[in-house]
Amino acid sequence: MTSDTGVMLHEFLRSPMQVGAVAPSSRRLAAAVTAPVPEAGDPVVVELGPGTGAFTGMIQELLGGRGHHVAVEINPRLAGSLRRRFPRVEVLTAEAAELPRLLAACGHGSADVVISGLPWASLPERTQHETLCAVREVLPVDGAFTTFGYVHAMRLAPARRFRRMLGVNFEEVVAGRTVWGNLPPAFVYHSRRPRDLGPMRRLSGHRRADCACAATGGPGNG
């Protein structure tokens, strides 16, 4: 058992709803999830739920010292480990739903790419809603959001609900090929062109905290 696997298993047993996985993601899955990281310029790349850093290391490789890499990890032990291993990454110990406030505090008005390692299928419905709203809020019209799901869980109600939410929040949602070499096998969601749901919020009378964009019966409800 590798060191990262041992850490992940330990933290999963402590907080299964927060960690959501018993082993780190494979390098092949990491490559698929981090594909939208720009090859040039100084992008702002946000990582949600980095865990032991399987995606973090790949993002750092792709950036090669460019841009800004902000990682949001709710687990204090994992966050501390990431800070020691990746000194160039700004690691924040907080909830992903706080992303707009966190980015503003870091001096960033938006993110070019948001990459998520969050266990969406194990998150409560409200947390799914609020976190996706936060992601959409920090992305410009040409921004990209990638995350992944496990093949064995894709037919479960929380996973199906999350897929519908993606369609509500983004105009384009594409599921990539299955990465069979991952444990367990996984696939990547590539989402682009965040929708402007301001009119929906105003018509429904919702406050931002109520996350009116959470409605799962809207556009893209396939």
Side-chain angles (χ1 to χ4, degrees), residues 87-219:
R88 293 187 61 89
V89 180
E90 188 160 8
V91 182
L92 308 176
T93 306
E95 295 184 2
E98 300 178 32
L99 184 55
R101 179 186 65 78
L102 295 171
L103 267 190
C106 292
H108 306 302
S110 62
D112 297 286
V113 180
V114 176
I115 293 167
S116 172
L118 294 172
W120 294 100
S122 65
L123 296 178
E125 183 175 1
R126 184 176 181 85
T127 302
Q128 289 181 332
H129 292 336
E130 293 179 346
T131 304
L132 266 183
C133 277
V135 169
R136 196 197 67 246
E137 186 170 324
V138 303
L139 285 175
V141 292
D142 58 347
F145 171 58
T146 58
T147 188
F148 70 95
Y150 293 121
V151 172
H152 72 274
M154 64 187 302
R155 294 189 180 277
L156 298 179
R160 293 169 61 190
R161 181 179 65 223
F162 175 68
R163 172 61 183 85
R164 291 195 297 271
M165 289 184 200
L166 283 175
V168 170
N169 283 276
F170 294 89
E171 293 182 13
E172 177 184 325
V173 180
V174 177
R177 294 181 178 179
T178 299
V179 181
W180 294 107
N182 197 71
L183 181 65
F187 61 96
V188 178
Y189 283 121
H190 299 273
S191 302
R192 293 184 178 274
R193 296 198 297 277
R195 297 182 188 274
D196 178 10
L197 297 177
M200 182 188 297
R201 282 201 299 273
R202 290 192 292 272
L203 287 172
S204 62
H206 282 271
R207 295 173 290 116
R208 182 193 175 279
D210 293 327
C211 199
C213 65
T216 55

Side-chain angles (χ1 to χ4, degrees), residues 40-114:
D42 294 303
V44 176
V45 178
V46 171
E47 184 181 7
L48 304 179
T52 60
F55 298 163
T56 313
M58 182 70 73
I59 294 169
Q60 284 291 286
E61 287 182 29
L62 293 170
L63 288 176
R66 299 177 294 113
H68 304 274
H69 182 178
V70 179
V72 182
E73 173 56 57
I74 194 173
N75 185 298
R77 293 176 180 81
L78 295 177
S81 176
L82 289 167
R83 291 189 185 97
R84 291 188 293 272
R85 292 178 58 196
F86 302 101
R88 293 187 61 89
V89 180
E90 188 160 8
V91 182
L92 308 176
T93 306
E95 295 184 2
E98 300 178 32
L99 184 55
R101 179 186 65 78
L102 295 171
L103 267 190
C106 292
H108 306 302
S110 62
D112 297 286
V113 180
V114 176

